Amino acid sequence: ILGLIFNPSGNLLPIFAQLRPHRALWAGLLYGAITVSFAYSTEWFYTSQVSPMFAMVSSGFYVCLVLSSAISRFLARGRGYWAGDFFLAGVTLLPLSAMVFILSAMMRAGLLGLPILPLVLFASCYSVVILYMGCTQLSNIAEPYAMLFVPLTLLFSGRVAVRICAH
């Protein structure tokens, strides 16, 4: 994980290549579970209770990100596997969910003078870079298509996750 955090463009493909497809799938599911647990913990820090709806939204976003990645790969005629889609979704969401979790814990502890917005923007940008690198390196999507698919994937995944859970 640290190799991915400090150098996603240089370490994403080598780390993924070291994993067999079933291990990459399990790693992606593990990262997704960590992301959902960060979401639960973040909500608990803010409200001192946990809502199943909030976990459904974060789980739904993860699942939609997996599906969007697979659809993008199919439309761009990229090469890759479902294991890569699961791995990429988990790795993409990990920095953002970890940053939100850390910030919420610090706010709960009373450390209010933090520059919260720049840190969340930093983590968001990091997640976008990881998703882009995954599209080009893991799914073998050409860069012009990846530039189009990354924001569309994020918008679609977020919209569908919130829409599904709103009903």
Side-chain angles (χ1 to χ4, degrees), residues 34-50 54 96-105 107-108:
I34 291 170
T35 298
V36 172
S37 67
F38 280 155
Y40 265 130
S41 301
T42 299
E43 184 184 20
W44 182 81
F45 282 141
Y46 279 118
T47 64
S48 296
Q49 58 185 343
V50 177
F54 194 73
L96 184 59
S97 63
M99 181 62 72
V100 171
F101 171 74
I102 291 167
L103 289 174
S104 65
M107 288 176 62
R108 180 74 178 206

Side-chain angles (χ1 to χ4, degrees), residues 63-119:
V63 170
C64 288
L65 194 58
V66 170
L67 294 175
S68 297
S69 176
I71 291 168
S72 299
R73 182 172 39 83
F74 173 76
L75 291 175
R77 295 189 178 117
R79 291 168 289 160
Y81 304 98
W82 278 98
D85 299 326
F86 278 93
F87 183 78
L88 181 58
V91 170
T92 297
L93 294 178
L94 201 55
L96 184 59
S97 63
M99 181 62 72
V100 171
F101 171 74
I102 291 167
L103 289 174
S104 65
M106 294 175 100
M107 288 176 62
R108 180 74 178 206
L111 305 171
L112 294 174
L114 294 174
I116 293 172
L117 185 59
L119 293 174

Side-chain angles (χ1 to χ4, degrees), residues 3 11-12 19 23 27 32 37 44 53 71 84 91 95-96 100 106-107 110 112 122-123 140-141 143 156 160 162 166:
N11 290 333
L12 185 63
L19 299 172
R23 288 188 183 252
S37 67
W44 182 81
M53 186 61 70
I71 291 168
V91 170
L96 184 59
V100 171
M106 294 175 100
M107 288 176 62
L112 294 174
F122 174 79
N140 296 309
I141 296 174
E143 289 184 11
F156 171 77
V160 169
V162 171

Side-chain angles (χ1 to χ4, degrees), residues 7 11 148:
N7 185 9
N11 290 333
L148 175 67

